[in-house]
Amino acid sequence: EMQVDGNNDHQEIPTQSNETEEVTVDDVDGDKGELGASLNMSDVPQHPGDGGVNAECAEHLPNEEWGNSMEEAVAADEGVAKPAESGTMRDKPQLKEPDEEGDPNCEGENTDEVMETEAASFHSSGPTNETGTDVTTNTIEHVIEVVGTNPIAQTPLPPPRVYSGSRHLNFYADKFVPSDNDPEAKVLISGSLRPRGPCTVQYDTGYHHLNYCATLDDETSLSINGRLAKWDPYWKIVDVLCRRDTVTDIGEPTKVSTKTAACKDETGISNPPSSCAVVTVDLAKEARNSTSATGTTNEEANNDRVWGVDWGKETKAYKSGDRRLLLRTLPLTRSSTESTQRADCHLWPLGTFIQLKIGDEVKEHVVKISQRQQLEPKKWSGQSSALDLTPFVQNTEIPFDVKLCCREAVRRQEIPPYGIGTKVSKLFQDDELGEMRPFSGVVASYNSQYKLYRIVYEDGDEEDLTREDVSDILVTKHDHGSEDPPIVGSYAVHVAICEYADPARLFDELTGKRNGNFVIPSLSIESVKQKAIESLEKQTVSVVDCDSDSDEAHGSNNDCLVFSLLCPITKTAIDTPVRGRGCGHLQCFDLSNFLHANKNPSAGRWRCGVCQSFLCCEDLVRCGLFDAMIGDLRADVSSTRHKVSFVKGGRWTLMEQKKVAKTEVPVNREDRFEPEVIDLS
C-alpha cells in the first residue's frame, strides 16, 4: 500500500459515481526523526566554508507568528498567486506579493544556492565541480539534444555519475485561503489541516542507487512522458522542459530530470515539510534548441509566439490546438492497492505547496493548486488538476524556478520478513566427517524488536541471524526478495509545452479520421461471432451488461446471449462500440461517451463502462459484431427496447419490449396481480 510514513495506510475504493476519491494516510508528524536518518545529511561531505543556511539571510525569513487565530490569518492573507494582466515579469509581477518582506541585504547571498560535493563513489576519471554549483545545471553546449515533436519515442540516455550535493530552499508560510468549493470556508494552501510557518529545508540534489536524492535518470524520466501521454491523451506533449544536462561516470554527456526528495527542516518549526523539489525553467534556452518553438497552432495566431503559446493569458476553457505550459507530477512507484483505486494520472504529492521564483526578484509567489485535501489526520480526499503556468509567464527571456514542498514523506518501502519455514543452507564443520559441509535449516521465528531470525538446522543447532545473513544462505532465489526495496512517496516533477485535444478531436484521431499517435484496432465480425459462439457453448465469460440479472439476460436454456445497444455510461444508443481488449465481456460502450466522461479528473476516471476495470485509449478495440448489430437495428433501438438476442447460429434479433420486461421481473404464476391504474388526465 502507498505509505506516507512508517505506518500502513488504508484506502477507500471509490465507485464510478463518486466525484471525489478518498485516501487515508498516517499522520506525517512523526516522520522527522526517520526522515533525517534516511537522508543522512550529516554524512554528506561538504565544501570548505559550508556552514549550512547563511545566518544573515536566515534571520530575514518571513517571521509570522502562527499563534494567531484563523480569522487573523485569513485577514492577513494576500499571498495567493494570480495571473498578471499585462507587463513583463521584470517590469510588473504576475502575481500578488506575499505579506513577508524580503531583505535587500540578502540579495547577494541566496540561500537557494547549491553546495555541490563529490560522493565517495564518484568515478576517479569524472569531472570535478570546483565552483560549488549544481553540476547538472552546467551547460554542455556541444551535446544539447534537440527535442522534437515526439518526445515519447526518444531513446533514453545513460544514467548520470553518482554524486551528492546539499541545497537549501526557503518557503513562505502555509496560509488560509477561501476554498474552491465553498468560498465561505477557509483551507490551507497545501490542503493540510494544520498550518506551518515559514521555513528553510535542506535536501540532497545528487544521484545514487539508493534514490534518496532529487535527480532522476533519463530512462525513468522518459517513462514518465509515456505514462502521462497514455493516461492524459487530451494533452499531447510537444516539448519537455524539465530535462537538464550533466555527465556520466566516465564523463559522457547525458540528461536528467527532477523528483521530490526527503528534506530536513533547518528552522525548527512545527509541521515541517517532509519532501521538496525545485525545477528551473529557461524558456529562452529551450526555445533555441527546439524544433517546435517557432510554430503556431491557430490560424489567427501571430508568428512571434514561442511554441505558439499565448504567454501571460489565462483561459477558463481550452480549445483544441491550444498550447500551454503545464506542471504535473507522478508517483515513481505505485502499490498494487493504489493501482486498483485510481488510474495512473497526474497526482500531486500530499500537502503540496508551490512557490515561483521569477528571475532576480527578491519576493517569491505562492500558487494555489487543485489537490487532495486532508479531512482528518489519516484521510485525504479529492482530485488533482495540472497547474497551467502559462498565465504567470509574461517574458519568456527570464528564467524562473518552480519550488515544491510537500507533506508526503519519501522513504524506503518496508521489507516483509522472511516467512516461517523459509529454507536455508549454511556451511559448518562436520565433526564426524572432519570437513566442512552444508547443513540445511529453516527459519523458525522472527524477533521484530531486534529484527533477528532464529534459524534451526538439521542437527538441532540454532542461531540468530540478521536479514542480510539470512539472505546469503537462502536455498531458493525467490526467497531472497529485494535487498534494495523501492522508494515510496517520491514524485517525478514534469514541466512541458502541451497541446490540447478536446474529446471530439481525440475521437477523430482514434478512429483514423485525423492524424494522431494511435488508431483503435477493429475486430472483424467473424472473429467476434466465433468468440461469442464459443462463449455461449462454454459459458465461460459474461457477455451482457452489468445491470442485467434476469434469466433471459443470461440466456434461456443457454441457447442465446443478450447484449444491450445502450451505452452503460450515458444510457444512450451506442454509435461507436468499443471495449477493453483484456476485458472478460463482449458488451461494448460508446467511444465518444467514454472520451467525454474522462475529460476531467474524477474518482472513476478511465474505468470500463461495463466491468469498471481501468482502460486507457490504447487498451480499446472496436467490435465488428456490435457495428453490424447497430447498423442493422439502429432505427428500432430506444431506451425501452435495446436488448439484442444472439443465438448459436450467429444470428441476432432485437427483443420485444414486453418480452424483456417479463423476463427481467419474473414472478410466480400464483403471485400475479393486476396493477392499479390511475387516470391522470
Side-chain angles (χ1 to χ4, degrees), residues 110-358:
N110 183 9
T111 59
D112 280 358
E113 276 199 43
V114 177
M115 294 159 284
E116 188 68 34
T117 62
E118 292 182 22
S121 55
F122 173 43
H123 196 283
S124 59
S125 64
T128 60
N129 178 18
E130 300 178 356
T131 63
T133 58
D134 189 345
V135 294
T136 60
T137 62
N138 294 342
T139 303
I140 308 176
E141 296 294 347
H142 63 284
V143 295
I144 289 179
E145 179 178 342
V146 176
V147 182
T149 57
N150 187 11
I152 310 302
Q154 296 181 29
T155 301
L157 298 174
R161 69 176 180 88
V162 176
Y163 73 99
S164 182
S166 174
R167 182 168 185 173
H168 296 87
L169 296 177
N170 293 335
F171 289 97
Y172 289 117
D174 190 6
K175 296 182 177 182
F176 285 99
V177 295
S179 170
D180 293 335
N181 299 325
D182 183 6
E184 299 297 326
K186 302 298 179 182
V187 297
L188 288 170
I189 295 175
S190 68
S192 306
L193 283 178
R194 286 171 290 185
R196 63 156 177 82
C199 64
T200 295
V201 296
Q202 182 187 23
Y203 73 105
D204 193 337
T205 64
Y207 175 84
H208 53 73
H209 68 285
L210 293 179
N211 290 325
Y212 286 118
C213 301
T215 296
L216 191 65
D217 64 90
D218 196 52
E219 182 177 2
T220 306
S221 177
L222 293 182
S223 73
I224 296 298
N225 295 345
R227 289 167 60 186
L228 288 171
K230 179 177 181 180
W231 292 101
D232 196 359
Y234 305 98
W235 287 104
K236 302 182 183 301
I237 299 175
V238 177
D239 263 343
V240 178
L241 308 184
C242 53
R243 298 170 78 199
R244 60 188 190 275
D245 299 300
T246 185
V247 293
T248 66
D249 58 354
I250 60 174
E252 294 181 347
T254 188
K255 286 185 177 289
V256 293
S257 297
T258 301
K259 60 185 176 70
T260 58
C263 64
K264 186 167 64 173
D265 174 50
E266 296 282 334
T267 47
I269 63 168
S270 59
N271 309 315
S274 299
S275 56
C276 66
V278 60
V279 175
T280 299
V281 181
D282 189 342
L283 294 173
K285 175 184 175 182
E286 297 287 351
R288 289 193 298 269
N289 299 292
S290 172
T291 59
S292 307
T294 57
T296 59
T297 57
N298 297 325
E299 294 179 359
E300 66 274 13
N302 297 323
N303 290 327
D304 58 353
R305 298 185 311 162
V306 182
W307 281 287
V309 177
D310 289 323
W311 298 106
K313 294 184 179 180
E314 186 177 12
T315 180
K316 295 183 178 179
Y318 299 113
K319 305 185 300 294
S320 279
D322 285 351
R323 289 189 175 184
R324 313 293 288 182
L325 178 63
L326 296 187
L327 170 65
R328 294 178 287 183
T329 58
L330 271 182
L332 294 178
T333 58
R334 303 180 76 223
S335 67
S336 57
T337 301
E338 188 178 10
S339 299
T340 63
Q341 295 180 340
R342 69 170 66 91
D344 191 20
C345 302
H346 155 72
L347 187 69
W348 294 113
L350 296 177
T352 298
F353 183 91
I354 296 180
Q355 277 181 212
L356 296 181
K357 177 178 174 59
I358 303 172

